[in-house]
Amino acid sequence: MLTFIGLGLYDERSVTVEGREALRDADRVFAEFYTSRLVGADVDELEAYHDAEIEVRAREGVEQDPEPILAAAAEGDVVFCTAGDTMISTTHTDLRLRAEERGIDTRVIHGVTAQSAASSLTGLQNYRFGKATTLPFPYAHGGDDVPGSVVETIEANRERGLHTVVYLDIKVGTGPSGPDPDHEEYMTADAAAGLLAEGWRDELAVVVARAGSPDAVVAADRLSALADREFGDPLHLLVVPGDLHHVEADALAGLAGAPRELVEE
């Protein structure tokens, strides 16, 4: 059996009860934290809380060399876990298909995702979100501006009146000069807002910082205003709203401090 577990958003306690039980019962536990991480807990804390030894795999150890995971799952009960939900923002469908092709049973134990948390915290209705996009560090795409694909996604959603989740780049193990095992960098919401204000338009946006933590922050304003604020420790994301229902407008004003003139335009 190969069980995929989403660990949720923040720390060792964010996982569901079902996920916690599966972790404790597993013969081996693998994890990856190159696409996202739990900022409220490190691997040692996860191991202590769940009474499990966790083997952390790098990107190439999952995508290019999954054999150790599959071989272990062919012989026993194996868990593969990530932050968030393993089949949403971080998708490991290929690994699951490889297991099924070898006759290994699989199952998914879901975790809370950043997108569902963003909807809950901002008051923006979940069914009114369009396609999400990721804003990379400028050095990661070879330019100093906002990639055209990011702008195109936001614009296409707004033409349909839909909101856009903008995930912010994470670089772990890779830096401006290439592979670097000591490099760990998280794009902040203020930096992202500055890039979008200059490279797109100075529109209303919403910052969601540390969703799932005891000190989550939600703030709405023009991108240029958000660029001048600090939002603390990672992880951060931005939401660029589309058309606002009156309840959504009230939520952004009441829950995120949006200036009334921006949400009532």
Side-chain angles (χ1 to χ4, degrees), residues 87 198 225 229:
M87 295 299 171
E198 183 175 346
R229 296 174 59 176

Side-chain angles (χ1 to χ4, degrees), residues 52-222:
E53 181 179 342
I54 299 175
E55 303 173 49
V56 179
R57 304 284 287 177
R59 181 185 293 271
E60 59 273 13
V62 175
E63 297 176 354
Q64 300 174 24
D65 183 26
E67 181 56 30
I69 301 171
L70 295 171
E75 299 296 329
D77 289 332
V78 169
V79 158
F80 181 84
C81 51
T82 71
D85 188 303
T86 59
M87 295 299 171
I88 306 297
S89 297
T90 304
T91 178
H92 291 293
T93 304
D94 180 71
L95 181 60
R96 189 180 184 194
L97 289 173
R98 288 172 184 261
E100 291 285 346
E101 289 169 359
R102 291 173 58 158
I104 300 168
D105 291 333
T106 66
R107 64 172 173 159
V108 179
I109 300 176
H110 299 283
V112 178
T113 68
Q115 180 153 347
S116 64
S119 174
S120 300
L121 290 170
T122 61
L124 297 174
Q125 296 171 5
N126 186 59
Y127 70 91
R128 302 188 69 205
F129 280 80
K131 177 183 176 182
T133 188
T134 298
L135 181 62
F137 287 109
Y139 68 77
H141 69 94
D144 57 4
D145 56 359
V146 177
S149 60
V150 175
V151 173
E152 290 167 7
T153 296
I154 296 172
E155 293 282 10
N157 285 337
R158 283 167 65 89
E159 287 176 6
R160 300 169 59 198
L162 302 177
H163 315 312
T164 306
V165 170
V166 182
Y167 295 111
L168 307 186
D169 204 0
I170 295 173
K171 286 287 178 282
V172 176
T174 301
S177 302
D180 179 354
D182 297 323
H183 188 81
E184 187 172 319
E185 186 177 11
Y186 304 88
M187 183 181 288
T188 59
D190 56 297
L195 287 171
L196 285 170
E198 183 175 346
W200 177 53
R201 294 202 303 269
D202 192 13
E203 297 282 347
L204 171 69
V206 192
V207 170
V208 178
R210 294 177 303 286
S213 76
D215 63 342
V217 170
V218 183
D221 209 327
R222 289 196 182 276

Side-chain angles (χ1 to χ4, degrees), residues 215-240:
D215 63 342
V217 170
V218 183
D221 209 327
R222 289 196 182 276
L223 285 163
S224 59
L226 296 173
D228 289 334
R229 296 174 59 176
E230 294 184 1
F231 299 100
D233 294 335
L235 297 172
H236 300 176
L237 61 78
L238 283 175
V239 178
V240 179

